Amino acid sequence: SLVNNPASPITFDNLTLNTNGGKGLYAVGLKQLIVSGGKITSVGAPAVDISGSTINTTFSSISVNGGPLGINLSQSAGSFNILGGGSVGTGGTIYNTIIGLSIDTFGVANINWVNFTNNGVAIHSSKSNQLDLAGLQITGSTGYALESHSDSTLILSQSILTNNGALGGGTILIQGDTV
């Protein structure tokens, strides 16, 4: 974990993390976190949990099985990117979580080629500057596949959303956004 380093940037190249029961990348109160490439796999805990920080991160894939959250970006600035490899699932798979991707007051998130399967809510975002979702496959969310509240810009392209909203909600909920 990286906690309360307001003084200097922290940089990783090709970061690879595999966890079982513990958070993958946990960052709080960082002046600048830079990750250039890599992948994270987590079981039973968030792969990424970032709050109160400025980041510029790029991953090839992130995968999570179980736990309350897959990825959490909160009260932070900068960019968070999952690139994938140009086909469904190459950006990772997030499944069996309460919320797959949770964003609350964040900069720009680009999520590409990720599968979200059997989550409570696949993606919940509030007050991000830009949420760009491409090449996603979202299936089996018991709540919404995508919930967007007061995001400045939401872009959804080349994605398949099926069999979501079984226990309430629906496929997509957008409130106060520019689409």
Short mmCIF file of all heavy atoms in Angstrom, two decimals, residues 82-119:
data_model
loop_
_atom_site.label_atom_id
_atom_site.label_comp_id
_atom_site.label_asym_id
_atom_site.label_seq_id
_atom_site.Cartn_x
_atom_site.Cartn_y
_atom_site.Cartn_z
N ILE A 82 -7.43 1.31 -18.59
CA ILE A 82 -7.27 -0.12 -18.86
C ILE A 82 -7.35 -0.25 -20.37
O ILE A 82 -8.39 0.06 -20.97
CB ILE A 82 -8.35 -0.98 -18.18
CG1 ILE A 82 -8.34 -0.79 -16.67
CG2 ILE A 82 -8.13 -2.46 -18.54
CD1 ILE A 82 -9.47 -1.51 -15.95
N LEU A 83 -6.27 -0.69 -21.00
CA LEU A 83 -6.19 -0.70 -22.45
C LEU A 83 -6.81 -1.92 -23.10
O LEU A 83 -7.44 -1.83 -24.14
CB LEU A 83 -4.73 -0.58 -22.90
CG LEU A 83 -4.00 0.69 -22.47
CD1 LEU A 83 -2.57 0.66 -22.97
CD2 LEU A 83 -4.73 1.92 -22.93
N GLY A 84 -6.59 -3.12 -22.53
CA GLY A 84 -7.01 -4.33 -23.21
C GLY A 84 -6.22 -4.52 -24.48
O GLY A 84 -5.27 -3.79 -24.77
N GLY A 85 -6.62 -5.52 -25.27
CA GLY A 85 -5.88 -5.83 -26.49
C GLY A 85 -6.72 -5.77 -27.74
O GLY A 85 -6.36 -6.36 -28.76
N GLY A 86 -7.86 -5.08 -27.70
CA GLY A 86 -8.66 -4.91 -28.90
C GLY A 86 -9.76 -5.94 -29.10
O GLY A 86 -10.46 -5.90 -30.10
N SER A 87 -9.92 -6.86 -28.14
CA SER A 87 -11.03 -7.81 -28.22
C SER A 87 -11.59 -8.05 -26.82
O SER A 87 -10.91 -7.84 -25.81
CB SER A 87 -10.59 -9.13 -28.86
OG SER A 87 -9.57 -9.74 -28.11
N VAL A 88 -12.85 -8.48 -26.78
CA VAL A 88 -13.57 -8.64 -25.52
C VAL A 88 -12.80 -9.52 -24.54
O VAL A 88 -12.33 -10.60 -24.88
CB VAL A 88 -14.97 -9.22 -25.78
CG1 VAL A 88 -15.69 -9.52 -24.48
CG2 VAL A 88 -15.80 -8.25 -26.61
N GLY A 89 -12.65 -9.03 -23.33
CA GLY A 89 -12.00 -9.78 -22.25
C GLY A 89 -10.50 -9.58 -22.13
O GLY A 89 -9.91 -9.95 -21.12
N THR A 90 -9.87 -8.96 -23.13
CA THR A 90 -8.42 -8.78 -23.03
C THR A 90 -8.03 -7.71 -22.02
O THR A 90 -6.88 -7.65 -21.60
CB THR A 90 -7.81 -8.44 -24.41
OG1 THR A 90 -8.46 -7.28 -24.93
CG2 THR A 90 -7.97 -9.61 -25.38
N GLY A 91 -8.99 -6.89 -21.59
CA GLY A 91 -8.73 -5.90 -20.54
C GLY A 91 -8.99 -6.45 -19.15
O GLY A 91 -8.81 -5.75 -18.16
N GLY A 92 -9.40 -7.73 -19.06
CA GLY A 92 -9.64 -8.37 -17.78
C GLY A 92 -11.10 -8.74 -17.59
O GLY A 92 -11.96 -8.45 -18.43
N THR A 93 -11.38 -9.38 -16.46
CA THR A 93 -12.73 -9.77 -16.09
C THR A 93 -12.96 -9.40 -14.63
O THR A 93 -12.14 -9.74 -13.77
CB THR A 93 -12.95 -11.28 -16.28
OG1 THR A 93 -12.76 -11.60 -17.66
CG2 THR A 93 -14.35 -11.69 -15.87
N ILE A 94 -14.06 -8.73 -14.38
CA ILE A 94 -14.44 -8.38 -13.01
C ILE A 94 -15.76 -9.06 -12.74
O ILE A 94 -16.76 -8.77 -13.41
CB ILE A 94 -14.55 -6.85 -12.83
CG1 ILE A 94 -13.17 -6.22 -13.10
CG2 ILE A 94 -15.05 -6.51 -11.44
CD1 ILE A 94 -13.14 -4.72 -13.07
N TYR A 95 -15.76 -10.00 -11.79
CA TYR A 95 -16.98 -10.76 -11.53
C TYR A 95 -17.18 -11.08 -10.07
O TYR A 95 -16.25 -11.05 -9.27
CB TYR A 95 -17.07 -12.01 -12.40
CG TYR A 95 -15.99 -13.04 -12.24
CD1 TYR A 95 -16.24 -14.23 -11.57
CD2 TYR A 95 -14.73 -12.85 -12.78
CE1 TYR A 95 -15.27 -15.20 -11.44
CE2 TYR A 95 -13.75 -13.81 -12.66
CZ TYR A 95 -14.02 -14.98 -11.99
OH TYR A 95 -13.04 -15.94 -11.87
N ASN A 96 -18.47 -11.29 -9.75
CA ASN A 96 -18.89 -11.66 -8.39
C ASN A 96 -18.54 -10.60 -7.35
O ASN A 96 -18.18 -10.93 -6.22
CB ASN A 96 -18.30 -13.01 -7.98
CG ASN A 96 -18.75 -14.13 -8.88
OD1 ASN A 96 -19.88 -14.13 -9.36
ND2 ASN A 96 -17.88 -15.08 -9.13
N THR A 97 -18.65 -9.31 -7.70
CA THR A 97 -18.44 -8.23 -6.74
C THR A 97 -19.78 -7.54 -6.47
O THR A 97 -20.72 -7.68 -7.24
CB THR A 97 -17.43 -7.18 -7.25
OG1 THR A 97 -17.99 -6.51 -8.37
CG2 THR A 97 -16.10 -7.82 -7.61
N ILE A 98 -19.84 -6.75 -5.41
CA ILE A 98 -21.03 -5.93 -5.17
C ILE A 98 -21.06 -4.79 -6.18
O ILE A 98 -22.09 -4.54 -6.81
CB ILE A 98 -21.05 -5.42 -3.72
CG1 ILE A 98 -21.19 -6.62 -2.76
CG2 ILE A 98 -22.21 -4.43 -3.52
CD1 ILE A 98 -20.99 -6.27 -1.30
N ILE A 99 -19.93 -4.09 -6.36
CA ILE A 99 -19.77 -3.09 -7.41
C ILE A 99 -18.45 -3.36 -8.14
O ILE A 99 -17.39 -3.35 -7.52
CB ILE A 99 -19.77 -1.65 -6.85
CG1 ILE A 99 -21.08 -1.35 -6.12
CG2 ILE A 99 -19.54 -0.64 -7.98
CD1 ILE A 99 -21.11 0.00 -5.44
N GLY A 100 -18.54 -3.59 -9.44
CA GLY A 100 -17.33 -3.91 -10.20
C GLY A 100 -16.37 -2.74 -10.31
O GLY A 100 -15.19 -2.85 -10.00
N LEU A 101 -16.88 -1.58 -10.75
CA LEU A 101 -16.08 -0.36 -10.88
C LEU A 101 -16.84 0.76 -10.20
O LEU A 101 -17.96 1.08 -10.60
CB LEU A 101 -15.84 -0.02 -12.35
CG LEU A 101 -15.25 1.35 -12.67
CD1 LEU A 101 -13.86 1.51 -12.06
CD2 LEU A 101 -15.19 1.57 -14.18
N SER A 102 -16.24 1.36 -9.17
CA SER A 102 -16.86 2.46 -8.44
C SER A 102 -16.01 3.71 -8.61
O SER A 102 -14.82 3.70 -8.29
CB SER A 102 -16.99 2.11 -6.95
OG SER A 102 -17.52 3.19 -6.25
N ILE A 103 -16.65 4.79 -9.13
CA ILE A 103 -15.95 6.05 -9.33
C ILE A 103 -16.74 7.14 -8.63
O ILE A 103 -17.94 7.28 -8.86
CB ILE A 103 -15.82 6.39 -10.83
CG1 ILE A 103 -15.02 5.30 -11.55
CG2 ILE A 103 -15.19 7.76 -11.02
CD1 ILE A 103 -14.99 5.47 -13.06
N ASP A 104 -16.06 7.92 -7.77
CA ASP A 104 -16.72 9.03 -7.08
C ASP A 104 -15.79 10.23 -7.09
O ASP A 104 -14.73 10.21 -6.44
CB ASP A 104 -17.07 8.64 -5.64
CG ASP A 104 -17.72 9.78 -4.88
OD1 ASP A 104 -18.33 10.66 -5.52
OD2 ASP A 104 -17.60 9.79 -3.65
N THR A 105 -16.13 11.24 -7.85
CA THR A 105 -15.36 12.47 -7.97
C THR A 105 -13.94 12.15 -8.42
O THR A 105 -13.00 12.07 -7.64
CB THR A 105 -15.35 13.27 -6.65
OG1 THR A 105 -16.68 13.35 -6.15
CG2 THR A 105 -14.82 14.67 -6.85
N PHE A 106 -13.81 11.96 -9.73
CA PHE A 106 -12.54 11.55 -10.32
C PHE A 106 -12.32 12.28 -11.64
O PHE A 106 -13.23 12.85 -12.21
CB PHE A 106 -12.51 10.03 -10.53
CG PHE A 106 -11.20 9.52 -11.03
CD1 PHE A 106 -10.09 9.53 -10.20
CD2 PHE A 106 -11.05 9.07 -12.32
CE1 PHE A 106 -8.85 9.10 -10.66
CE2 PHE A 106 -9.83 8.63 -12.79
CZ PHE A 106 -8.72 8.64 -11.96
N GLY A 107 -11.12 12.20 -12.16
CA GLY A 107 -10.75 12.82 -13.43
C GLY A 107 -11.29 12.05 -14.62
O GLY A 107 -12.49 11.98 -14.85
N VAL A 108 -10.39 11.41 -15.39
CA VAL A 108 -10.75 10.71 -16.61
C VAL A 108 -10.46 9.22 -16.46
O VAL A 108 -9.34 8.83 -16.11
CB VAL A 108 -9.95 11.26 -17.82
CG1 VAL A 108 -10.25 10.48 -19.08
CG2 VAL A 108 -10.24 12.75 -18.01
N ALA A 109 -11.47 8.38 -16.73
CA ALA A 109 -11.30 6.93 -16.69
C ALA A 109 -11.61 6.36 -18.08
O ALA A 109 -12.68 6.62 -18.64
CB ALA A 109 -12.20 6.30 -15.65
N ASN A 110 -10.66 5.63 -18.64
CA ASN A 110 -10.82 4.94 -19.92
C ASN A 110 -10.76 3.44 -19.66
O ASN A 110 -9.69 2.92 -19.31
CB ASN A 110 -9.71 5.34 -20.89
CG ASN A 110 -9.75 6.81 -21.21
OD1 ASN A 110 -10.69 7.29 -21.82
ND2 ASN A 110 -8.72 7.54 -20.78
N ILE A 111 -11.89 2.76 -19.83
CA ILE A 111 -11.97 1.33 -19.53
C ILE A 111 -12.28 0.60 -20.84
O ILE A 111 -13.34 0.80 -21.44
CB ILE A 111 -13.08 1.05 -18.48
CG1 ILE A 111 -12.95 1.99 -17.27
CG2 ILE A 111 -13.08 -0.42 -18.09
CD1 ILE A 111 -11.65 1.89 -16.50
N ASN A 112 -11.35 -0.23 -21.29
CA ASN A 112 -11.47 -0.87 -22.59
C ASN A 112 -11.36 -2.39 -22.50
O ASN A 112 -10.48 -2.92 -21.82
CB ASN A 112 -10.36 -0.37 -23.52
CG ASN A 112 -10.42 1.12 -23.71
OD1 ASN A 112 -11.32 1.62 -24.37
ND2 ASN A 112 -9.47 1.83 -23.11
N TRP A 113 -12.28 -3.07 -23.20
CA TRP A 113 -12.23 -4.51 -23.43
C TRP A 113 -12.28 -5.35 -22.15
O TRP A 113 -11.65 -6.38 -22.04
CB TRP A 113 -11.01 -4.88 -24.29
CG TRP A 113 -10.96 -4.09 -25.55
CD1 TRP A 113 -10.08 -3.10 -25.86
CD2 TRP A 113 -11.87 -4.18 -26.64
NE1 TRP A 113 -10.38 -2.57 -27.09
CE2 TRP A 113 -11.48 -3.22 -27.60
CE3 TRP A 113 -12.98 -4.98 -26.92
CZ2 TRP A 113 -12.15 -3.04 -28.80
CZ3 TRP A 113 -13.64 -4.79 -28.12
CH2 TRP A 113 -13.22 -3.85 -29.05
N VAL A 114 -13.04 -4.87 -21.15
CA VAL A 114 -13.20 -5.58 -19.88
C VAL A 114 -14.55 -6.28 -19.85
O VAL A 114 -15.56 -5.72 -20.26
CB VAL A 114 -13.08 -4.60 -18.68
CG1 VAL A 114 -13.32 -5.32 -17.35
CG2 VAL A 114 -11.71 -3.92 -18.68
N ASN A 115 -14.59 -7.50 -19.33
CA ASN A 115 -15.83 -8.22 -19.05
C ASN A 115 -16.25 -7.92 -17.62
O ASN A 115 -15.43 -8.00 -16.70
CB ASN A 115 -15.64 -9.74 -19.17
CG ASN A 115 -15.58 -10.22 -20.59
OD1 ASN A 115 -16.01 -9.55 -21.51
ND2 ASN A 115 -15.02 -11.40 -20.76
N PHE A 116 -17.52 -7.60 -17.43
CA PHE A 116 -18.11 -7.48 -16.10
C PHE A 116 -19.21 -8.54 -16.03
O PHE A 116 -20.18 -8.48 -16.79
CB PHE A 116 -18.73 -6.08 -15.91
CG PHE A 116 -17.72 -4.97 -15.79
CD1 PHE A 116 -17.23 -4.35 -16.92
CD2 PHE A 116 -17.29 -4.54 -14.55
CE1 PHE A 116 -16.32 -3.31 -16.82
CE2 PHE A 116 -16.37 -3.51 -14.44
CZ PHE A 116 -15.89 -2.89 -15.58
N THR A 117 -19.05 -9.51 -15.13
CA THR A 117 -19.96 -10.65 -15.09
C THR A 117 -20.46 -10.91 -13.67
O THR A 117 -19.66 -11.01 -12.74
CB THR A 117 -19.25 -11.92 -15.62
OG1 THR A 117 -18.71 -11.64 -16.91
CG2 THR A 117 -20.20 -13.09 -15.71
N ASN A 118 -21.79 -11.00 -13.52
CA ASN A 118 -22.44 -11.40 -12.25
C ASN A 118 -22.05 -10.51 -11.07
O ASN A 118 -21.74 -11.00 -9.99
CB ASN A 118 -22.17 -12.86 -11.94
CG ASN A 118 -22.73 -13.79 -12.99
OD1 ASN A 118 -23.68 -13.44 -13.69
ND2 ASN A 118 -22.13 -14.95 -13.14
N ASN A 119 -22.09 -9.20 -11.28
CA ASN A 119 -21.86 -8.24 -10.21
C ASN A 119 -23.19 -7.69 -9.73
O ASN A 119 -24.20 -7.78 -10.44
CB ASN A 119 -20.98 -7.09 -10.72
CG ASN A 119 -19.60 -7.57 -11.14
OD1 ASN A 119 -18.78 -7.92 -10.31
ND2 ASN A 119 -19.36 -7.61 -12.44
#
